[in-house]
Amino acid sequence: MKPVIAVSGLRKTYGSGETAVHALRGVDLVVQPGEYVAIMGASGSGKSTLLNMLGCLDMPTAGGYRLDGFSVAELNERQLALLRNRKIGFIFQSFNLVPRTNALSNVELPLVYSGLRRGPRRRRALAALELVGLSDRAKHLPNELSGGQQQRVAVARALVTGPALLLADEPTGNLDRASTEDVLGVFDRINAQGRTIVVITHEDEVAKHAHRVVRVSDGLIVSDEVRRRVGALA
């Protein structure tokens, strides 16, 4: 089975000469299907740059990256956009929901971009909302939902295309403790169903739910630890 993420010697340098900033200094990382990985690091460690590389939002200065078998460096801008739409489900700290659009239509958006017809699109969006426990909120606008519910809508939107990778950037950063536990519970359930999740976080409480924790410092991976996650059987 091919890895979802296969990164080798990844480097990213901003600027040149004496003012050059080496954000990534040669990162190697492999994530297999079904893994739940937390990437942690202090501000300036390189974890946000790594997120941008993994999400195909920026290109490395050097090194290789294969996403679900596709060599990212060989793709043009249009192909990269298609790869992002079909292979990656993004979840952001700020939810990024369309304010005047109900939950169902927000979840449908990636399928609209992919050209799927309305009937199948709606069925898949409803199934994704049910998966995150919000099928009864399908017609609600974002301002009629709690922060935790809004993030769960965002998770449903990320899931609806059936991506190879869920990539979450500080997904609980704007949530209270109860909402955080709700969202992390959703992550646990969908990972148990075989979804591959990579979450960027600085919170130990979030990282506890992952079964692998990768720590980044000064543009390098300094530790890669497999550990028992919250709720795992002894």
Side-chain angles (χ1 to χ4, degrees):
M1 188 178 294
K2 63 179 177 290
V4 175
I5 290 171
V7 164
S8 176
L10 206 66
R11 295 179 179 272
K12 182 64 178 181
T13 302
Y14 297 99
S16 60
E18 294 182 0
T19 61
V21 175
H22 301 284
L24 296 177
R25 298 171 177 267
V27 169
D28 299 320
L29 178 67
V30 175
V31 176
Q32 299 292 347
E35 284 199 273
Y36 184 173
V37 181
I39 297 178
M40 304 188 74
S43 178
S45 64
K47 71 179 189 300
S48 295
T49 302
L50 181 57
L51 166 76
N52 289 336
M53 301 295 125
L54 298 181
C56 302
L57 300 170
D58 196 2
M59 297 300 288
T61 305
Y65 175 28
R66 299 187 75 86
L67 172 61
D68 201 32
F70 291 87
S71 178
V72 171
E74 298 173 6
L75 304 180
N76 59 35
E77 285 299 324
R78 179 178 176 277
Q79 290 169 328
L80 279 172
L82 286 171
L83 189 71
R84 283 192 297 266
N85 181 262
R86 296 175 181 175
K87 294 294 183 179
I88 306 174
F90 291 96
I91 303 163
F92 299 102
Q93 179 176 338
S94 56
F95 318 143
N96 289 0
L97 301 181
V98 181
R100 293 183 175 84
T101 301
N102 66 32
L104 180 61
S105 296
N106 266 287
V107 174
E108 283 184 299
L109 275 177
L111 301 177
V112 173
Y113 298 145
S114 67
L116 190 66
R117 290 182 294 111
R118 187 176 186 276
R121 190 174 74 213
R122 186 134 295 195
R123 287 193 293 272
R124 286 175 63 172
L126 284 168
L129 281 171
E130 184 172 0
L131 190 63
V132 301
L134 286 177
S135 55
D136 60 339
R137 297 288 190 271
K139 298 298 184 181
H140 286 61
L141 296 174
N143 64 6
E144 298 171 328
L145 301 172
S146 69
Q149 289 171 334
Q150 290 184 59
Q151 190 62 296
R152 283 154 62 192
V153 171
V155 173
R157 181 182 58 194
L159 286 169
V160 76
T161 59
L165 171 67
L166 285 182
L167 188 57
D169 183 17
E170 300 284 2
T172 62
N174 285 338
L175 303 179
D176 60 28
R177 178 175 290 275
S179 296
T180 291
E181 287 304 314
D182 284 345
V183 169
L184 293 177
V186 170
F187 280 18
D188 291 343
R189 291 196 299 274
I190 60 181
N191 176 247
Q193 295 172 4
R195 297 285 183 180
T196 307
I197 301 174
V198 173
V199 58
I200 309 296
T201 184
H202 66 278
E203 299 180 49
D204 288 329
E205 196 61 35
V206 174
K208 283 181 184 177
H209 285 254
H211 59 70
R212 180 178 168 197
V213 178
V214 174
R215 295 186 185 274
V216 179
S217 178
D218 197 26
L220 291 167
I221 290 177
V222 294
S223 69
D224 189 342
E225 175 191 2
V226 176
R227 64 188 191 186
R228 195 181 310 279
R229 65 183 178 185
V230 170
L233 295 176

